[in-house]
Amino acid sequence: MHYEVKLKLNKIDSSDYENLTVPEVDWYLNEAQDIFIKQRYGISNNKRQGFETTQKRIDDLRKLVVKGNILPFATSSVDLNAYEACLPEDYMFHIRSRANINKEGCEQKLGVSTVQIQHDDLDSVLQDPFYSPSFEWEEIPIVFMQGGYQGITAIDDICPIGYVIGYSDGSFILDDLRLDYLRIPRRISWGTGVGVSSYLYPNGQLAAFNDSCELAEHTHHEIVDIAVMIASGDLDHPNLQSKILKTQLNE
C-alpha cells in the first residue's frame, strides 16, 4: 500500500512526491481507512448505499463485525428504571442488539428486541403505551451516551468509549445486552520502514512495527485511492479532480 501511494502520487518517470515519510503515508492510509469505513457503514457516499445493502457492502466490512458481545447491565443512579452497560473499547458502530430481561415470578426472557431512540423522544416513548418498555411485548428502548457512567462524570477510566442505557417500566430488570457491532480496525503501520526502530504517534503511542490493513483484500486499492486523494489535496496536486472521480467510481 505504501508503494501504491507513492506510485499514484508521482508522475510517470518522475519523483515529485517521493519525500513523503513512512509515518506520513501511514497517517494518510489510516485516515483513508476511517473514511472508507464510515462511507460504507452510512449512506454518505456516491451510491447512497449503507452497510449490508449489497453484497459488496457486506464484503467491504465483514472482517470488522463482532457478534454477540455480552455487556452486563448495572442499575443507573441517574435515570429511574434505567440500566447502563459499558461499550467495548473497540466499539465503532452499532449493528444489532438484544437484551436478556428478568421479572419476579416469570421465566427469564432472552434476546428481547431493543429499539434505538433519540434522546429528545425519550420522555414521549417511555410514556407511550404502544412504545414504552414491556416485559410482555418484549421491547426495550435504548439510547447511547458518552461519559457519566452511573452518575459519575469522571468516566474515562470506567467507560472510555461510552455506554448504552436500557429502560424498564419498573416491573422487570435488565440483565445484560448482546451486542453486534463494527469494531475499530487496527492502525495501518509500517514501523520497520523508518529503519531499525518504530516511531511514535502524535499522542505518544508507539506504532506497531508492521500492521497491514486488515480489511478484505479487495478494499486495499480503494483505501489507497482515498489516501492519495487526501494527500493530493494537501499537496496541491494538479490531478486532484481525476483522483476524486476515481474514488467515486470505486464504490
Side-chain angles (χ1 to χ4, degrees), residues 13-14 35 46 49 89 98 104-105 156 165 173 199 237:
D13 294 330
S14 75
I35 291 173
N46 190 49
Q49 294 175 343
E89 291 192 0
R98 293 290 184 269
E104 187 175 356
D156 291 343
I165 301 180
I173 63 174
Y199 65 91
H237 197 288

Side-chain angles (χ1 to χ4, degrees), residues 3-18 237-239 243:
Y3 174 79
E4 192 175 353
V5 167
K6 294 290 189 72
L7 179 67
K8 291 181 175 180
L9 270 177
N10 292 330
K11 297 177 182 178
I12 300 300
D13 294 330
S14 75
S15 53
D16 291 347
Y17 302 100
E18 69 174 3
H237 197 288
N239 294 325
K243 299 181 187 306

Side-chain angles (χ1 to χ4, degrees), residues 81-170:
N81 300 325
Y83 296 81
E84 302 171 347
C86 268
L87 290 170
E89 291 192 0
D90 63 350
Y91 171 85
M92 193 171 191
F93 292 121
H94 177 269
I95 298 176
R96 174 177 175 265
S97 56
R98 293 290 184 269
N100 295 334
I101 60 178
N102 215 325
K103 185 174 183 178
E104 187 175 356
C106 299
E107 186 176 348
Q108 184 189 37
K109 290 191 175 182
L110 306 176
V112 172
S113 297
T114 62
V115 181
Q116 189 175 349
I117 61 174
Q118 299 179 17
H119 289 269
D120 57 352
D121 292 335
L122 188 57
D123 289 337
S124 59
V125 167
L126 294 179
Q127 296 171 12
D128 192 314
F130 298 103
Y131 298 101
S132 60
S134 172
F135 184 83
E136 289 72 22
W137 292 100
E138 301 184 6
E139 192 168 89
I140 306 297
I142 61 172
V143 295
F144 285 74
M145 296 285 291
Q146 176 67 48
Y149 182 73
Q150 294 185 339
I152 303 172
T153 55
I155 177 64
D156 291 343
D157 293 335
I158 302 173
C159 198
I161 300 300
Y163 60 102
V164 185
I165 301 180
Y167 289 88
S168 165
D169 62 1

